[in-house]
Amino acid sequence: MIKTDNNKAWWLVLPVFLLVAFSAVIPLMTVVNYSVQDIFDQNNAYFVGVDWYREVLRDPRLHDSLLRQFLYSFSVLVIEIPLGIAVALMMPTRGRMASLCLILLAIPLLIPWNVVGTIWQIFGRADIGLFGWALNALGIDYNYASNTGDAWATVLLMDVWHWTSLVALLCYSGLRAIPEAFYQAAEIDRASKWAVFRYIQLPRLQSVLVIGILLRFMDSFMIYTEPFVLTGGGPGNSTTFLSQTLTKMAIGQFDLGPAAAFSLIYFLIVLLVSWLFFTTITYMDKAK
């Protein structure tokens, strides 16, 4: 007897396909359509081909914002990944203190982005903020509203405070998944703490570190709300990243064609760099 395939299960996933189509595919196609047209009003649009892409790729605003964005994302990864690993290694493995540490680490992740920006906007002020007042009391001339270095340091510190917990929690879950037999064997061999970390813990953290690096890169590369609330992109354009430049172009100047081309280039950059990260890390894992 020939068994026939039952395709009725596809009807169960049809709502998901429709939801994805309306929430992702259709808006994406709309952006692609805008990127090849010169839009004057709702009824007047003229096909311009790839002219907007040429203009955007030659725009110094894109070049400057892209450089700042790469520098910011690189700084975030260099600080948060090692710091998250260190925090996970220092956390207790069981008991009430372990539960307390997990709760404390989860708190910053629950705070909305705009609230984080507002917290650090107040926290960093020299007149009413504890952080700004303490630095000035120590003789450090700190003012994130007028000094480029202070603004950069504050935005970076704010991100570290907000998102290092995510890396720490991922690494902690990876450490807890290591069988106890590995540590027992290392203890029998009298391996040092560095040897245990180098040859047992770090290789076992490979998969969670891939997830952590990709999540933190993509999120930091698309950051908008926190620096917008904290510094407004200033002083000058020193903390104006790609997302803020795109918003000014689309909403502030209402240049829909160039903004659509800009957003697609932005999307492709995030996709390409994330793919490079993933490919490089997985290749290194296979090479071992």
Side-chain angles (χ1 to χ4, degrees):
M1 182 177 179
I2 301 175
K3 186 178 180 180
T4 58
D5 293 332
N6 187 352
N7 294 321
K8 292 182 180 179
W10 285 102
W11 291 101
L12 299 176
V13 297
L14 182 61
V16 177
F17 283 119
L18 294 176
L19 180 63
V20 171
F22 279 104
S23 64
V25 177
I26 292 178
L28 179 61
M29 292 300 101
T30 303
V31 173
V32 172
N33 181 46
Y34 283 174
S35 69
V36 294
Q37 297 191 64
D38 191 359
I39 302 172
F40 291 94
D41 55 46
Q42 187 175 2
N43 300 317
N44 293 306
Y46 300 93
F47 182 77
V48 296
V50 295
D51 289 351
W52 293 134
Y53 291 93
R54 293 196 188 99
E55 180 180 318
V56 168
L57 289 173
R58 295 169 182 167
D59 192 340
R61 292 178 298 177
L62 172 65
H63 304 158
D64 296 340
S65 299
L66 184 61
L67 179 62
R68 284 191 292 267
Q69 194 72 69
F70 272 119
L71 181 60
Y72 177 76
S73 296
F74 176 77
S75 302
V76 163
L77 293 178
V78 167
I79 296 174
E80 293 182 12
I81 299 301
L83 185 58
I85 295 174
V87 171
L89 289 172
M90 291 187 293
M91 288 176 60
T93 56
R94 55 180 61 88
R96 293 183 178 179
M97 286 302 298
S99 301
L100 178 61
C101 289
L102 291 174
I103 293 172
L104 292 176
L105 284 176
I107 289 176
L109 303 177
L110 301 176
I111 303 176
W113 294 302
N114 57 333
V115 177
V116 171
T118 304
I119 290 173
W120 279 85
Q121 185 185 49
I122 298 173
F123 189 51
R125 289 182 55 174
D127 52 351
I128 60 174
L130 178 62
F131 182 66
W133 175 84
L135 290 179
N136 285 327
L138 293 173
I140 301 173
D141 186 15
Y142 169 82
N143 190 335
Y144 68 82
S146 61
N147 185 283
T148 299
D150 294 343
W152 255 93
T154 306
V155 172
L156 189 58
L157 184 61
M158 174 178 61
D159 194 275
V160 170
W161 174 83
H162 192 194
W163 290 110
T164 301
S165 298
L166 175 63
V167 181
L169 291 174
L170 287 172
C171 293
Y172 184 77
S173 65
L175 292 172
R176 296 295 296 137
I178 300 176
E180 192 66 27
F182 284 71
Y183 295 109
Q184 293 173 355
E187 186 176 357
I188 292 173
D189 293 338
R190 296 183 179 180
S192 63
K193 290 184 178 180
W194 169 250
V196 172
F197 173 73
R198 174 67 180 83
Y199 296 104
I200 296 178
Q201 294 173 327
L202 188 58
R204 290 281 174 167
L205 289 176
Q206 190 86 33
S207 57
V208 295
L209 285 178
V210 170
I211 297 172
I213 290 172
L214 288 176
L215 287 176
R216 289 307 306 126
F217 169 76
M218 289 188 292
D219 189 66
S220 65
F221 207 81
M222 297 184 292
I223 191 171
Y224 173 78
T225 306
E226 295 98 318
F228 176 77
V229 173
L230 179 63
T231 64
N237 291 322
S238 60
T239 57
T240 300
F241 301 111
L242 282 172
S243 57
Q244 293 165 283
T245 304
L246 175 60
T247 303
K248 290 178 181 179
M249 187 181 297
I251 299 177
Q253 303 169 2
F254 207 69
D255 291 335
L256 296 183
F262 194 120
S263 64
L264 289 174
I265 294 171
Y266 191 3
F267 170 72
L268 291 175
I269 291 173
V270 174
L271 197 64
L272 175 62
V273 177
S274 299
W275 177 80
L276 289 174
F277 266 126
F278 178 78
T279 304
T280 303
I281 295 173
T282 51
Y283 175 78
M284 291 171 60
D285 186 35
K286 290 179 181 179
K288 293 179 180 179

